[in-house]
Short mmCIF file of all heavy atoms in Angstrom, two decimals:
data_model
loop_
_atom_site.label_atom_id
_atom_site.label_comp_id
_atom_site.label_asym_id
_atom_site.label_seq_id
_atom_site.Cartn_x
_atom_site.Cartn_y
_atom_site.Cartn_z
N SER A 1 73.90 -108.75 26.73
CA SER A 1 72.55 -108.36 26.43
C SER A 1 71.60 -108.46 27.62
O SER A 1 70.53 -107.88 27.60
CB SER A 1 72.00 -109.18 25.26
OG SER A 1 72.00 -110.54 25.52
N VAL A 2 71.96 -109.25 28.61
CA VAL A 2 71.08 -109.46 29.76
C VAL A 2 71.61 -109.00 31.05
O VAL A 2 70.94 -109.05 32.10
CB VAL A 2 70.68 -110.97 29.90
CG1 VAL A 2 70.07 -111.50 28.59
CG2 VAL A 2 71.84 -111.81 30.36
N LYS A 3 72.85 -108.51 31.08
CA LYS A 3 73.41 -108.01 32.34
C LYS A 3 72.59 -106.91 32.92
O LYS A 3 72.14 -105.97 32.19
CB LYS A 3 74.85 -107.52 32.05
CG LYS A 3 75.86 -108.63 31.88
CD LYS A 3 77.27 -108.05 31.72
CE LYS A 3 78.28 -109.18 31.59
NZ LYS A 3 79.68 -108.65 31.36
N GLY A 4 72.38 -106.97 34.20
CA GLY A 4 71.59 -105.94 34.85
C GLY A 4 70.11 -106.22 34.86
O GLY A 4 69.31 -105.53 35.59
N ARG A 5 69.65 -107.20 34.06
CA ARG A 5 68.27 -107.50 34.00
C ARG A 5 67.93 -108.95 34.45
O ARG A 5 66.90 -109.23 35.06
CB ARG A 5 67.72 -107.35 32.54
CG ARG A 5 67.85 -105.91 32.06
CD ARG A 5 67.15 -105.76 30.69
NE ARG A 5 67.75 -106.64 29.67
CZ ARG A 5 67.04 -107.59 29.03
NH1 ARG A 5 65.74 -107.78 29.27
NH2 ARG A 5 67.61 -108.31 28.09
N PHE A 6 68.86 -109.85 34.16
CA PHE A 6 68.67 -111.24 34.50
C PHE A 6 69.61 -111.61 35.68
O PHE A 6 70.67 -111.11 35.82
CB PHE A 6 69.01 -112.19 33.35
CG PHE A 6 68.05 -112.09 32.19
CD1 PHE A 6 67.09 -111.10 32.12
CD2 PHE A 6 68.16 -113.02 31.15
CE1 PHE A 6 66.19 -111.08 31.01
CE2 PHE A 6 67.29 -112.96 30.06
CZ PHE A 6 66.31 -111.97 30.03
N THR A 7 69.14 -112.57 36.52
CA THR A 7 69.92 -113.02 37.60
C THR A 7 69.85 -114.59 37.61
O THR A 7 68.71 -115.13 37.70
CB THR A 7 69.46 -112.53 38.94
OG1 THR A 7 69.53 -111.07 38.96
CG2 THR A 7 70.35 -113.06 40.05
N ILE A 8 70.98 -115.21 37.59
CA ILE A 8 70.99 -116.70 37.67
C ILE A 8 71.34 -117.13 39.08
O ILE A 8 72.09 -116.44 39.80
CB ILE A 8 72.04 -117.28 36.67
CG1 ILE A 8 71.84 -118.81 36.53
CG2 ILE A 8 73.43 -116.92 37.05
CD1 ILE A 8 72.63 -119.42 35.46
N SER A 9 70.73 -118.18 39.55
CA SER A 9 71.02 -118.71 40.84
C SER A 9 70.91 -120.22 40.79
O SER A 9 70.32 -120.79 39.88
CB SER A 9 70.08 -118.10 41.92
OG SER A 9 68.74 -118.45 41.64
N GLN A 10 71.42 -120.89 41.84
CA GLN A 10 71.38 -122.37 41.85
C GLN A 10 71.15 -122.85 43.30
O GLN A 10 71.73 -122.32 44.23
CB GLN A 10 72.72 -122.87 41.31
CG GLN A 10 72.77 -124.41 41.25
CD GLN A 10 73.95 -124.90 40.45
OE1 GLN A 10 73.78 -125.51 39.36
NE2 GLN A 10 75.16 -124.62 40.92
N ASP A 11 70.34 -123.84 43.37
CA ASP A 11 70.09 -124.56 44.65
C ASP A 11 70.71 -125.90 44.49
O ASP A 11 70.15 -126.82 43.89
CB ASP A 11 68.61 -124.65 44.95
CG ASP A 11 68.31 -125.26 46.28
OD1 ASP A 11 69.18 -126.05 46.80
OD2 ASP A 11 67.22 -124.98 46.85
N ASN A 12 71.91 -126.06 45.00
CA ASN A 12 72.68 -127.33 44.81
C ASN A 12 71.89 -128.54 45.44
O ASN A 12 71.94 -129.62 44.93
CB ASN A 12 74.05 -127.23 45.39
CG ASN A 12 74.97 -126.42 44.52
OD1 ASN A 12 74.84 -126.34 43.32
ND2 ASN A 12 75.94 -125.71 45.17
N ALA A 13 71.30 -128.30 46.58
CA ALA A 13 70.55 -129.37 47.24
C ALA A 13 69.43 -129.88 46.38
O ALA A 13 69.12 -131.09 46.37
CB ALA A 13 70.07 -128.88 48.60
N LYS A 14 68.74 -128.98 45.69
CA LYS A 14 67.64 -129.35 44.81
C LYS A 14 68.10 -129.64 43.42
O LYS A 14 67.25 -130.04 42.55
CB LYS A 14 66.58 -128.27 44.84
CG LYS A 14 65.95 -128.03 46.18
CD LYS A 14 64.85 -126.94 46.08
CE LYS A 14 64.20 -126.72 47.41
NZ LYS A 14 63.17 -125.67 47.32
N LYS A 15 69.36 -129.40 43.12
CA LYS A 15 69.92 -129.63 41.76
C LYS A 15 69.09 -128.82 40.75
O LYS A 15 68.73 -129.32 39.68
CB LYS A 15 69.98 -131.06 41.41
CG LYS A 15 70.91 -131.89 42.28
CD LYS A 15 71.01 -133.37 41.81
CE LYS A 15 69.71 -134.06 41.99
NZ LYS A 15 69.75 -135.50 41.60
N THR A 16 68.79 -127.61 41.10
CA THR A 16 67.95 -126.76 40.29
C THR A 16 68.63 -125.42 40.09
O THR A 16 69.21 -124.83 40.98
CB THR A 16 66.56 -126.52 40.95
OG1 THR A 16 65.92 -127.78 41.14
CG2 THR A 16 65.70 -125.56 40.10
N VAL A 17 68.56 -124.93 38.84
CA VAL A 17 69.08 -123.61 38.48
C VAL A 17 67.92 -122.73 38.09
O VAL A 17 66.94 -123.23 37.48
CB VAL A 17 70.12 -123.72 37.39
CG1 VAL A 17 69.52 -124.20 36.10
CG2 VAL A 17 70.80 -122.35 37.20
N TYR A 18 67.96 -121.41 38.43
CA TYR A 18 66.93 -120.50 38.18
C TYR A 18 67.42 -119.36 37.32
O TYR A 18 68.62 -119.02 37.39
CB TYR A 18 66.34 -119.91 39.46
CG TYR A 18 65.89 -120.97 40.44
CD1 TYR A 18 66.77 -121.49 41.44
CD2 TYR A 18 64.61 -121.44 40.39
CE1 TYR A 18 66.31 -122.46 42.31
CE2 TYR A 18 64.14 -122.44 41.30
CZ TYR A 18 65.04 -122.91 42.25
OH TYR A 18 64.59 -123.88 43.12
N LEU A 19 66.53 -118.78 36.60
CA LEU A 19 66.87 -117.52 35.84
C LEU A 19 65.74 -116.54 36.12
O LEU A 19 64.64 -116.70 35.61
CB LEU A 19 67.05 -117.78 34.36
CG LEU A 19 67.52 -116.60 33.53
CD1 LEU A 19 68.96 -116.30 33.91
CD2 LEU A 19 67.42 -116.95 32.06
N GLU A 20 66.05 -115.55 36.93
CA GLU A 20 65.12 -114.43 37.16
C GLU A 20 65.31 -113.40 36.07
O GLU A 20 66.38 -112.85 35.97
CB GLU A 20 65.35 -113.86 38.53
CG GLU A 20 64.43 -112.71 38.94
CD GLU A 20 63.03 -113.23 39.30
OE1 GLU A 20 62.91 -114.32 39.79
OE2 GLU A 20 62.05 -112.48 38.98
N MET A 21 64.23 -113.16 35.35
CA MET A 21 64.30 -112.23 34.20
C MET A 21 63.42 -111.07 34.49
O MET A 21 62.19 -111.20 34.70
CB MET A 21 63.89 -112.94 32.92
CG MET A 21 64.66 -114.19 32.62
SD MET A 21 64.24 -114.90 31.03
CE MET A 21 62.56 -115.38 31.33
N ASN A 22 64.03 -109.86 34.56
CA ASN A 22 63.28 -108.63 34.78
C ASN A 22 63.45 -107.66 33.59
O ASN A 22 64.35 -107.81 32.79
CB ASN A 22 63.79 -107.98 36.06
CG ASN A 22 63.65 -108.84 37.26
OD1 ASN A 22 62.55 -109.34 37.52
ND2 ASN A 22 64.68 -108.99 38.08
N SER A 23 62.60 -106.67 33.55
CA SER A 23 62.67 -105.68 32.50
C SER A 23 62.74 -106.32 31.13
O SER A 23 63.52 -105.99 30.26
CB SER A 23 63.82 -104.75 32.69
OG SER A 23 63.79 -104.04 33.96
N LEU A 24 61.86 -107.27 30.93
CA LEU A 24 61.90 -108.04 29.68
C LEU A 24 61.59 -107.23 28.50
O LEU A 24 60.71 -106.31 28.56
CB LEU A 24 60.91 -109.21 29.80
CG LEU A 24 61.42 -110.40 30.67
CD1 LEU A 24 60.27 -111.26 31.09
CD2 LEU A 24 62.55 -111.16 29.96
N LYS A 25 62.25 -107.55 27.39
CA LYS A 25 62.11 -106.88 26.12
C LYS A 25 61.59 -107.83 25.03
O LYS A 25 61.84 -109.02 25.15
CB LYS A 25 63.42 -106.27 25.70
CG LYS A 25 64.09 -105.36 26.69
CD LYS A 25 65.46 -104.92 26.24
CE LYS A 25 66.16 -104.10 27.25
NZ LYS A 25 67.53 -103.65 26.81
#
């Protein structure tokens, strides 16, 4: 349901994960 719209990424040094959400519905 989110493929092509959301992007997950991780900064291991900061121990932080992100979720970029585009074209939100």
Side-chain angles (χ1 to χ4, degrees):
S1 60
V2 306
K3 285 183 178 178
R5 299 189 299 119
F6 292 9
T7 302
I8 191 169
S9 61
Q10 182 168 246
D11 185 335
N12 287 327
K14 296 181 179 180
K15 297 184 295 182
T16 300
V17 64
Y18 305 92
L19 187 67
E20 181 73 33
M21 305 186 294
N22 299 310
S23 301
L24 285 162
K25 305 174 181 179

